[in-house]
Amino acid sequence: MSRPSKAEAARTRPIGVVDIGSNSIRLVVFDGAKRAPMPVFNEKILCGLGRGLEKTGQLNPQGVVLALDNLQRFAILADAMSVTDLTFVATAAVRDAANGRDFVQAAEKRIGRRIQILSGADEAKFAALGVVAGIPDAEGVAGDLGGGSLELVSISGAKVGAHATLPLGPLRLRDIDSRLRARQVIDEQLDGLDWLGRTKGKRFYAVGGAWRALARMHMAHVNYPLHVIHHYTLKREKAEEFCELIAGLSRESLERVGEVSRKRVDTLSLAALVLARVLRHARPVELVFTATGLREGCVFAKLTPAERRRDPLIAACTDIARTSARFAIDGQGLMAWIAPLFRRAAASEARLRLAACDLSDIAWREHPDYRAEIAFLRTLRMPITGIDHAGRAFIALAIYTRYEGRADAPVTAPAWRLLDEDSLRQAHALGLALRLAYTLSAGTPAILKQIKLRLQGNNLDLVGAARARPMIGETVERRLESLSRALGKTPRLRLLGT
């Protein structure tokens, strides 16, 4: 086995980011500086550094002690995980507090590493890059709500445009004596952003823990079938209505909501108020919640231009195939083999088919009686980006069918709620095509090169040379018949030269 190149070795070394925010500090370790890094460790400590900052101008003393202790712990953990590239960044509370630099000096002495205090512009830029990392076609405005500030930045085609940092974090707004006055303060800040109105008709991308908590609440409220925050999307009118509802709830009412962490209760209604007012000013067509933000943006900024241009969905699925498949799965080869069946399919589905091909051997280690179910749930819920919820359901249903799952099984209910009728048929046909490919070849590329699929009028042909006859057994013929029925075609076996 050949050794990996220096570039490949560097790409797969763990990389970490410590985000010192106004409300929490968090360490995230990723499995490498690559287009679709997977988090291998993620821990948050709620310190409340920015609590009381608006009144005192100082960092919260109790929060400082807690932060210093846990920053040292994070540094030790990162060393134990062999993280050689560890970035420490501090945001609004440390940036704005009179004793912020004193805190940084004390922390640097404790951990033996440099901490970068991000400017408002840098914080907005990294948050925007994080959104682009997870949603490459993002078009509109990204908003990152932290405890101390709100960063707003326009994004278009992976380009970062106008931006602003506003003192609208919930830890600051809570010091305002009335909700009416808080609303006025928010509106006054937003009124000064002429460019924000250009979001109309585009999308608003919500970043930050408090806003993700709102997404979870809304999912529970509507009994949404998939609890994945990334790319959860709402029409603006519905989102604004829900945020106004949450903004008006008392602390006691929020405490009775099971989806709300007790540590979020103090700030959640204010976070909802900020989001409601931003939506009212920006008037986007949709609100999109993202799981990627500043920390992912810090990693994305380190990538080469070529790596940044890669599709994060395909990059992630290729990595998963490389580490989990039985054989050297050739996703592109499988894609080419089934391509004759999908020439009339929407172009947007091509990348979903390629992702499904990459993931098509994902459950081979599982018990045969549970492979289909495990493959469906794992694919539907895996922490990948570059894909919306309907796309997840499409791939999951295809992989489920590839493992001979029953289309009407209860486990597939989320797919039936997230996909339209045509997409359901396409996913089912894709799964049957992959099942045929694996039955014929055991997933090995060499055999697929000998036998081809062809659509000829009303016929679905399996075409090969005469010497391929031993590969066409009863099971292969049954798989061909199932696929043909799904496509409304007649199956034919054509062995040339016989």
Side-chain angles (χ1 to χ4, degrees):
M1 181 181 294
S2 62
R3 292 184 177 181
S5 66
K6 289 185 178 180
E8 179 63 19
R11 184 175 167 275
T12 55
R13 280 198 294 266
I15 180 173
V17 179
V18 178
D19 175 8
I20 306 170
S22 301
N23 196 34
S24 65
I25 64 171
R26 185 188 293 268
L27 165 64
V28 182
V29 176
F30 300 95
D31 63 353
K34 50 190 177 180
R35 183 60 185 88
M38 286 283 187
V40 296
F41 182 86
N42 188 332
E43 184 169 317
K44 175 184 69 177
I45 306 294
L46 288 171
C47 298
L49 280 173
R51 197 177 298 274
L53 176 64
E54 197 69 12
K55 288 184 177 180
T56 67
Q58 304 280 324
L59 295 175
N60 173 23
Q62 291 79 19
V64 166
V65 173
L66 191 58
L68 289 174
D69 288 344
N70 281 282
L71 287 173
Q72 184 175 16
R73 176 172 173 271
F74 284 169
I76 293 170
L77 287 173
D79 284 342
M81 288 183 276
S82 300
V83 178
T84 55
D85 187 340
L86 182 62
T87 301
F88 287 79
V89 293
T91 56
V94 175
R95 179 173 66 236
D96 296 341
N99 62 341
R101 293 194 176 275
D102 293 338
F103 164 77
V104 166
Q105 289 176 0
E108 289 178 336
K109 184 176 180 180
R110 183 83 74 94
I111 64 178
R113 290 174 171 85
R114 177 178 173 271
I115 297 174
Q116 180 184 3
I117 302 177
L118 297 180
S119 67
D122 284 339
E123 189 174 352
K125 179 191 76 172
F126 285 127
L129 288 178
V131 171
V132 171
I135 307 176
D137 61 350
E139 190 82 20
V141 169
D144 185 359
L145 182 70
S149 67
L150 168 65
E151 275 65 49
L152 295 171
V153 55
S154 65
I155 47 179
S156 176
K159 294 180 180 179
V160 177
H163 59 81
T165 296
L166 307 176
L168 297 179
L171 291 182
R172 286 184 166 171
L173 293 174
R174 64 182 299 181
D175 292 332
I176 298 175
D177 54 10
S178 76
R179 189 53 53 89
L180 177 60
R181 179 55 188 154
R183 186 182 294 262
Q184 292 171 343
V185 168
I186 296 168
D187 287 341
E188 288 167 3
Q189 291 286 338
L190 296 174
D191 283 339
L193 305 180
D194 294 338
W195 55 268
L196 188 59
R198 294 197 290 272
T199 311
K200 186 176 181 180
K202 299 180 182 180
R203 287 175 162 183
F204 183 81
Y205 302 90
V207 182
W211 283 350
R212 285 192 286 269
L214 288 174
R216 292 189 189 93
M217 290 181 68
H218 190 270
M219 286 176 169
H221 179 65
V222 299
N223 193 29
Y224 192 70
L226 178 61
H227 282 210
V228 172
I229 298 298
H230 190 68
H231 226 297
Y232 183 56
T233 303
L234 299 174
K235 293 295 184 183
R236 176 184 56 82
E237 295 82 1
K238 292 291 185 183
E240 194 175 322
E241 178 183 340
F242 181 74
C243 288
E244 289 285 6
L245 171 66
I246 300 303
L249 293 181
S250 65
R251 177 188 174 88
E252 291 73 21
S253 296
L254 287 172
E255 285 178 339
R256 290 195 292 269
V257 178
E259 287 71 28
V260 180
S261 162
R262 286 187 175 276
K263 294 181 179 179
R264 287 279 181 207
V265 168
D266 287 343
T267 58
L268 194 60
S269 63
L270 286 168
L273 180 62
V274 173
L275 184 52
R277 302 316 295 168
V278 169
L279 294 174
R280 176 63 61 90
H281 282 256
R283 301 189 69 77
V285 64
E286 288 179 328
L287 167 66
V288 182
F289 293 93
T290 77
T292 55
L294 183 143
R295 293 174 291 275
E296 290 76 14
C298 288
V299 175
F300 190 74
K302 296 175 183 287
L303 304 181
T304 65
E307 187 73 6
R308 289 190 191 189
R309 288 192 293 271
R310 294 182 67 199
D311 185 328
L313 171 64
I314 303 306
C317 292
T318 301
D319 281 348
I320 292 168
R322 186 183 297 123
T323 58
S324 65
R326 288 171 293 177
F327 312 111
I329 291 298
D330 178 11
Q332 293 284 355
L334 276 172
M335 178 80 162
W337 195 77
I338 65 175
L341 308 182
F342 300 100
R343 298 201 188 283
R344 295 184 180 180
S348 59
E349 289 181 5
R351 61 192 294 270
L352 299 182
R353 290 197 298 276
L354 179 55
C357 289
D358 280 334
L359 298 176
S360 57
D361 207 29
I362 195 171
W364 70 271
R365 286 187 176 92
E366 308 298 341
H367 189 286
D369 292 347
Y370 297 99
R371 277 182 190 151
E373 179 179 344
I374 291 171
F376 178 84
L377 294 175
R378 184 179 173 193
T379 306
L380 186 70
R381 299 169 178 174
M382 64 175 48
I384 56 178
T385 61
I387 186 171
D388 61 16
H389 287 190
R392 285 176 177 273
F394 182 93
I395 296 172
L397 187 60
I399 302 299
Y400 178 80
T401 305
R402 170 263 186 273
Y403 280 110
E404 303 186 55
R406 286 183 18 251
D408 59 347
V411 70
T412 64
W416 291 81
R417 287 185 59 183
L418 292 168
L419 295 173
D420 60 31
E421 190 172 332
D422 183 62
S423 295
L424 287 167
R425 283 196 300 268
Q426 292 282 339
H428 182 62
L430 173 57
L432 291 175
L434 289 172
R435 188 194 303 181
L436 173 60
Y438 273 86
T439 303
L440 181 64
S441 69
T444 57
I447 293 176
L448 289 182
K449 293 178 181 178
Q450 301 175 31
I451 305 172
K452 306 294 185 182
L453 273 180
R454 294 284 185 268
L455 277 178
Q456 298 287 340
N458 291 323
N459 301 311
L460 175 61
D461 295 341
L462 198 59
V463 183
R467 65 178 180 275
R469 186 65 184 90
M471 302 305 303
I472 313 297
E474 178 189 355
T475 305
V476 169
E477 292 183 3
R478 283 194 283 109
R479 299 285 187 257
L480 179 62
E481 289 174 3
S482 295
L483 176 58
S484 299
R485 282 197 302 272
L487 296 173
K489 304 294 182 182
T490 300
R492 292 194 311 186
L493 181 61
R494 298 178 60 204
L495 297 178
L496 306 180
T498 59

